Amino acid sequence: MKFYTTKDKKHLVSLREAVVHSLAPNGGLYMPEQIPSLPPEFFTRAQSLTFAEIALEVAKPYVENVLEQDHLKKIIAQTITFDAPLVKVEENVFALELFHGPTLAFKDFGARFMAQLLQHFAKEQKKEVTVLVATSGDTGSAVANGFYNVPNVRVIILYPSGKVSALQEKQFTTLGNNITAIEIDGTFDDCQHLVKTAFQDADLNEQFFLTSANSINIARLLPQMFYYFYAWSRLANKERVVFSVPSGNFGNLTAGLIAQRMGLPIHHFVASTNKNDSVCTYLDKGAFTPHASFATISNAMDVGNPSNFSRMLDLFNNDWQQMKKSIHGFSFSDEQTAEVMKAVVKQSNYVLDPHGAVGYLGLKAFLKNKPEYTGVFLETAHPSKFLEVVEPIIQQPVIIPDSLQRFLSREKKSIPCSSDYESFKKILRNT
Ligand SMILES: *Cc1c(COP(=O)(O)O)cnc(C)c1O
């Protein structure tokens, strides 16, 4: 399988190239040359396969000629060490819980798979690979934990000082070894800007082999298909299945769209967003107008210019009408999000995190007067990751799982830095 870029369909590269570089030199995002269809017998068999067995069938065509099947099997076994259960919240409404990994968010799937692949490719690399990530919280923790102790790879995490939750911060500042956290005196946008500037800095690229672990990397996208197939296989009623995806950079939704193209019978998608609604507005009006991000209580989705939107356009050949036939968009305010979190605990005794709550809202909006549909919303993080937001809303304590608790007693280590590029560069060269 080869990969083209969203800016040039004729320029094909190998999976290796796509993964180690993340972004094409022309700024495009990598896409599979063709999307393989899985055979009908796979879908009749899926119900009796394990999560890992399903993942293997889904990933196989993309890594052909790059990895032996046994090696892929091993990578999948090391990625999926936890389940993604479907939990019934009410009649016809299921939560697909993607937060049972080590950092309690769905990003564990992508980060762990990518770390394994990059480890394999980095072996053939002369220089050590430096992964630069800007994070507002969840990406940093998933990437740090996924790449911890991976040989020949070091990870530099930039995060805005005082703007990530205490729990999140502990997850990427306490590991040490090949993981370094740089605490920027600025905003998330400042962090992202520093990373982008570093990628364009010829001097720095001469010295280091730089790459990104943000969701622009195709290796993060592929494993995010696994759980769509797995969830579908476990539903009793497989007719008219709708997935609602709480979205920020739209990597998760894009993975769902690719799964559908592989033959997974998903009837419809719902793009659920907070106030950062540029994709919803596009679906509604046909014009895409990115904006600076707004801060909300579902902060992992505070993205004004979603990076994977170009992949979505590519999948629909830039045809707005076609995209509208497959995806419905809904956006919700913080008030609506808080309201529904309260209501769902009361009615169903289910604690939504603020991101899952947006997904739930979108699903309910779509399902209105459609009793014949089966709805699944993606629960992208455990509510305890957003304790400060969730507890005051639902007025009851949220239990912190042991896996998160163990980070709390560890000692934070970070390098403070101003948002000035030269200071950042100096630190990068000296760590
Ligand atoms: C990253 C994140 C999202 C958004 O996912 P995208 O793939 O960027 O759309 C949603 N919820 C949580 C909890 C996240 O961490």
Side-chain angles (χ1 to χ4, degrees):
M1 169 87 64
K2 296 274 186 201
F3 295 80
Y4 64 81
T5 97
T6 50
K7 287 198 175 155
D8 182 1
K9 293 215 172 198
K10 290 195 202 78
H11 184 77
L12 297 174
V13 304
S14 65
L15 178 66
R16 177 180 191 284
E17 186 103 340
V19 173
V20 300
H21 290 287
S22 263
L23 199 64
N26 66 12
L29 303 195
Y30 289 111
M31 285 293 279
E33 185 184 10
Q34 27 18 59
I35 297 176
S37 300
L38 290 174
E41 60 85 28
F42 165 76
F43 294 97
T44 39
R45 228 161 25 96
Q47 201 168 347
S48 60
L49 300 178
T50 64
F51 191 4
E53 286 167 341
I54 289 176
L56 182 67
E57 299 297 314
V58 175
K60 223 165 38 184
Y62 296 95
V63 303
E64 245 168 16
N65 307 326
V66 182
L67 292 181
E68 300 288 336
Q69 177 149 328
D70 278 350
H71 191 173
L72 176 62
K73 227 184 206 165
K74 215 171 106 197
I75 288 182
I76 287 171
Q78 281 168 5
T79 303
I80 306 179
T81 51
F82 46 91
D83 197 18
L86 268 178
V87 175
K88 185 172 172 178
V89 176
E90 57 200 62
E91 209 49 44
N92 286 337
V93 173
F94 296 86
L96 173 57
E97 294 187 346
L98 301 175
F99 55 69
H100 295 277
T103 75
L104 308 189
F106 83 93
K107 289 186 175 79
D108 280 328
F109 286 97
R112 288 160 69 87
F113 188 80
M114 181 185 164
Q116 304 279 331
L117 265 193
L118 195 61
Q119 171 174 9
H120 175 65
F121 294 137
K123 269 190 219 143
E124 303 154 19
Q125 209 66 40
K126 282 192 203 77
K127 281 184 207 164
E128 179 190 50
V129 175
T130 301
V131 176
L132 282 186
V133 221
T135 186
S136 56
D138 278 353
T139 301
S141 42
V143 169
N145 285 274
F147 282 82
Y148 183 53
N149 283 343
V150 168
N152 217 17
V153 178
R154 67 166 183 158
V155 177
I156 313 277
I157 293 169
L158 284 78
Y159 73 103
S161 181
K163 295 188 178 70
V164 303
S165 82
L167 268 172
Q168 285 177 322
E169 188 177 30
K170 285 272 184 177
Q171 288 182 306
F172 54 78
T173 56
T174 58
L175 292 166
N177 208 354
N178 64 328
I179 313 292
T180 305
I182 303 186
E183 185 169 356
I184 304 290
D185 183 15
T187 62
F188 170 65
D189 288 337
D190 293 329
C191 297
Q192 199 143 30
H193 183 72
L194 290 172
V195 168
K196 279 188 184 152
T197 313
F199 281 129
Q200 286 155 4
D201 183 332
D203 202 26
L204 212 54
N205 280 279
E206 179 82 16
Q207 188 183 355
F208 300 117
F209 189 97
L210 298 178
T211 193
S212 153
N214 285 95
S215 67
I216 52 173
N217 197 301
I218 190 78
R220 278 195 45 190
L221 218 56
L222 296 176
Q224 292 179 182
M225 288 195 276
F226 302 163
Y227 42 75
Y228 286 95
F229 285 91
Y230 178 55
W232 175 85
S233 78
R234 264 49 180 182
L235 283 169
N237 185 357
K238 295 183 170 58
E239 301 293 311
R240 297 183 195 252
V241 176
V242 181
F243 277 94
S244 171
V245 188
S247 297
N249 264 321
F250 282 79
N252 223 353
L253 187 85
T254 302
L257 291 169
I258 301 176
Q260 189 186 38
R261 298 289 170 91
M262 289 180 80
L264 185 64
I266 296 174
H267 196 273
H268 211 83
F269 284 97
V270 180
S272 302
T273 72
N274 57 31
K275 194 181 165 192
N276 295 278
D277 62 353
S278 48
V279 172
C280 296
T281 309
Y282 171 80
L283 288 165
D284 201 28
K285 304 217 167 74
F288 183 65
T289 328
H291 55 76
S293 61
F294 302 111
T296 74
I297 58 168
S298 46
N299 65 0
M301 312 198 308
D302 294 349
V303 183
N305 188 8
S307 49
N308 285 289
F309 183 63
S310 60
R311 282 191 168 120
M312 292 167 67
L313 282 176
D314 186 79
L315 283 167
F316 291 99
N317 292 315
N318 288 295
D319 187 333
W320 170 53
Q321 296 288 352
Q322 287 305 319
M323 197 191 290
K324 264 172 53 137
K325 276 188 201 154
S326 295
I327 313 170
H328 245 77
F330 294 103
S331 88
F332 301 95
S333 66
D334 279 355
E335 291 71 30
Q336 289 171 298
T337 308
E339 198 68 36
V340 88
M341 287 166 70
K342 248 189 281 180
V344 172
V345 176
K346 215 163 151 201
Q347 281 157 24
S348 312
N349 200 23
Y350 190 83
V351 181
L352 294 162
D353 98 289
H355 306 79
V358 170
Y360 174 88
L361 279 167
L363 184 63
K364 292 291 279 188
F366 180 79
L367 289 181
K368 208 169 180 184
N369 305 322
K370 293 191 189 77
E372 71 279 21
Y373 284 66
T374 301
V376 178
F377 67 97
L378 275 49
E379 223 331 339
T380 46
H382 190 277
S384 65
K385 279 200 100 167
F386 305 96
L387 211 61
E388 300 91 332
V389 173
V390 178
E391 283 185 340
I393 291 174
I394 64 168
Q395 304 269 309
Q396 50 172 272
V398 175
I399 295 156
I400 303 177
D402 290 344
S403 54
L404 199 53
Q405 198 86 50
R406 77 196 150 88
F407 284 102
L408 286 174
S409 56
R410 296 189 189 161
E411 188 196 345
K412 163 186 160 181
K413 281 204 185 90
S414 67
I415 304 173
C417 178
S418 76
S419 57
D420 162 59
Y421 181 68
E422 289 308 318
S423 328
F424 166 65
K425 186 168 168 179
K426 208 159 157 194
I427 290 174
L428 200 56
R429 298 191 116 159
N430 294 328
T431 43

